[in-house]
Amino acid sequence: MSKKRIGFIGLGLIGGSIAKAIRQYYPDYELLALDKNKESLALAVQEGTIDTVCSAIDEHFQQCSYIFLCAPISYNTAYLSQLKTLIQPHCILTDVGSVKTSIHEEIIRLGMEENFIGGHPMAGSEKSGFINSKPHLIENAYYILTPSAKVSKEKLELYRTFIESLKALPIVLDYQLHDRIAGTISHLPHIIASCLVNFVKDTDTKTELMKLLAAGGFKDITRIASSSPIMWQQICLKNGKNISAILGEYIQTLENAKHAIDNGAESELYSLFETSRDYRNSMPNGSSGPIKKNFALYCDIIDETGGIATIATILASNNISIKNIGIIHNREFEEGVLRIEFYEEEASVKATALLQKYRYIVYEV
């Protein structure tokens, strides 16, 4: 590809990571950015990720080949009217939001469909901001593209090829289908996890025995309840119609489970757990979905002084960073005594091999 100018409105975790990926694979491209966080912009320039800092949506964006809207969902739609008079016919305008209907509807209202291809990189982190962005965040992650009805096939193929060149895995979907899928496999689980945690909190004993004993499986299935409250509030508001319908259907499955339990329906109960087990086991381990994968292992250690410190030293001496480490007291669903969590899959794989080399018994998640 020839040298291009690419603009970013919002330079947080996702915007910053995409910008860094572009800089890595297209070092001669001109990248410019607008963000309310001046420290992030200064750091981006200092690191060489961004060439030009913008103070407003102005003529700097006129000659962009791509413009990425990477601000919160409600802000992205608000910026569209300012961009309408600036973008040229060749420009591809995109966003990175996890809800697509609201921005597509605004694009249609403003008559900007010929330029717009929605985007949703299925990657992220519990950490936020440009300071935590990294060029490989979207690598091998599904990247959903939701083209407008009037955007040309040439533009779509150009953008699909560009995203693929950043080592992401582009998938083209209708924007309404995207929101139903995301509502089911991403938004619903977050709501369930949050409700489950609050249910335990509200029904706990006075001495908080549930909180004490809730480890292992419970903490794993509710891990996503630790996500940003503001982000999930906005997602529920923007994808409310889909989420409400999906919740209604899910509540019916809970009612069915309750009915089977109330009636002692042996075959129905067996089928419930058998089909869920088989379907979950059929999911590919390498699949990159909307909920960030947890990279962890469990291993057995003898209860002796310095046991954890020895393992931490082995990993640290081999440049493996540990995200979290701790003893599992409730081992109903885990085989190992010690749970070690890592930031990246590569570190988890390397740690497993290393600990096995030192004769530790390791159980991978």
Side-chain angles (χ1 to χ4, degrees):
M1 295 183 183
S2 58
K3 182 175 180 179
K4 298 181 185 297
R5 173 185 286 188
I6 300 179
F8 288 86
I9 298 175
L11 201 67
L13 176 71
I14 300 298
S17 295
I18 294 173
K20 287 181 177 180
I22 294 171
R23 177 61 71 214
Q24 176 174 304
Y25 293 108
Y26 301 99
D28 61 332
Y29 278 20
E30 181 186 0
L31 273 60
L32 53 93
L34 167 68
D35 193 282
K36 64 179 182 179
N37 190 320
K38 305 306 179 187
E39 292 181 1
S40 293
L41 292 173
L43 180 60
V45 172
Q46 181 183 345
E47 292 181 352
T49 302
I50 296 298
D51 299 298
T52 305
V53 169
C54 301
S55 57
I57 297 177
D58 54 25
E59 66 277 359
H60 285 94
F61 290 91
Q62 270 187 322
Q63 300 304 318
C64 285
S65 298
Y66 298 100
I67 297 177
F68 286 85
L69 291 165
C70 303
I73 297 170
S74 56
Y75 287 92
N76 284 339
T77 54
Y79 290 136
L80 293 176
S81 58
Q82 299 177 60
L83 288 166
K84 179 176 171 61
T85 58
L86 292 172
I87 58 175
Q88 301 299 308
H90 72 275
C91 179
I92 293 175
L93 176 64
T94 187
D95 75 319
V96 297
S98 62
V99 179
K100 306 259 64 86
T101 299
S102 57
I103 193 166
H104 271 275
E105 289 177 345
E106 185 65 5
I107 285 286
I108 293 169
R109 190 185 73 81
L110 293 171
M112 300 173 68
E113 288 183 273
E114 292 181 4
N115 292 95
F116 187 72
I117 302 172
H120 177 200
M122 289 186 160
S125 169
E126 67 276 12
K127 296 182 178 181
S128 61
F130 179 82
I131 194 170
N132 293 301
S133 62
K134 44 196 174 184
H136 58 274
L137 185 73
I138 63 171
E139 187 173 312
N140 293 319
Y142 291 129
Y143 200 119
I144 308 302
L145 308 183
T146 60
S148 294
K150 296 181 181 179
V151 76
S152 69
K153 291 182 180 179
E154 290 75 19
K155 275 197 177 80
L156 177 58
E157 181 57 24
L158 183 67
Y159 187 47
R160 191 198 65 78
T161 302
F162 181 57
I163 291 301
E164 200 170 50
S165 74
L166 301 179
K167 307 305 179 185
L169 307 172
I171 295 177
V172 179
L173 288 179
D174 170 79
Y175 69 88
Q176 293 174 325
L177 176 59
H178 166 276
D179 283 359
R180 289 197 296 274
I181 291 174
T184 303
I185 65 173
S186 177
H187 307 164
L188 177 65
H190 279 83
I191 294 169
I192 292 171
S194 297
C195 288
L196 181 55
V197 170
N198 284 335
F199 179 76
V200 169
K201 177 180 72 69
D202 295 340
T203 58
D204 205 351
T205 65
K206 289 183 179 180
T207 55
E208 296 190 326
L209 273 173
M210 290 188 190
K211 184 177 182 180
L212 174 67
L213 299 175
F218 181 84
K219 290 198 74 175
D220 281 346
I221 65 173
T222 59
R223 173 176 53 86
I224 52 179
S226 297
S227 300
S228 164
I230 294 176
M231 180 179 74
W232 284 100
Q233 174 203 53
Q234 289 296 306
I235 286 173
C236 286
L237 291 173
K238 292 295 182 181
N239 200 25
K241 185 177 180 181
N242 278 314
I243 293 173
S244 177
I246 293 163
L247 272 172
E249 294 173 12
Y250 179 71
I251 289 169
Q252 185 57 56
T253 66
L254 292 178
E255 290 286 355
N256 294 342
K258 182 179 184 300
H259 183 268
I261 292 169
D262 290 343
N263 290 277
E266 295 182 18
S267 61
E268 287 182 40
L269 290 170
Y270 183 85
S271 178
L272 166 67
F273 297 111
E274 181 188 40
T275 55
S276 63
R277 178 202 63 189
D278 292 347
Y279 186 68
R280 187 186 186 280
N281 289 345
S282 71
M283 294 178 179
N285 289 328
S287 175
S288 181
I291 298 176
K292 185 174 174 61
K293 185 179 177 182
N294 206 26
F295 305 117
L297 61 81
Y298 295 84
C299 75
D300 287 332
I301 59 170
I302 299 173
D303 184 9
E304 60 183 8
T305 303
I308 295 178
T310 299
I311 289 178
T313 301
I314 290 171
L315 298 178
S317 62
N318 285 273
N319 298 314
I320 299 175
S321 296
I322 297 172
K323 182 179 180 181
N324 206 353
I325 187 170
I327 297 289
I328 300 296
H329 296 290
N330 178 348
R331 290 195 289 277
E332 270 189 294
F333 303 102
E334 273 74 50
E335 296 177 273
V337 175
L338 187 70
R339 183 180 190 277
I340 311 172
E341 189 176 349
F342 304 91
Y343 289 100
E344 298 171 345
E345 185 173 20
E346 183 182 353
S348 180
V349 172
K350 186 178 178 182
T352 297
L354 189 63
L355 292 176
Q356 288 173 338
K357 176 184 174 183
Y358 281 89
R359 300 291 188 267
Y360 286 95
I361 298 174
V362 179
Y363 309 93
E364 295 181 75
V365 178

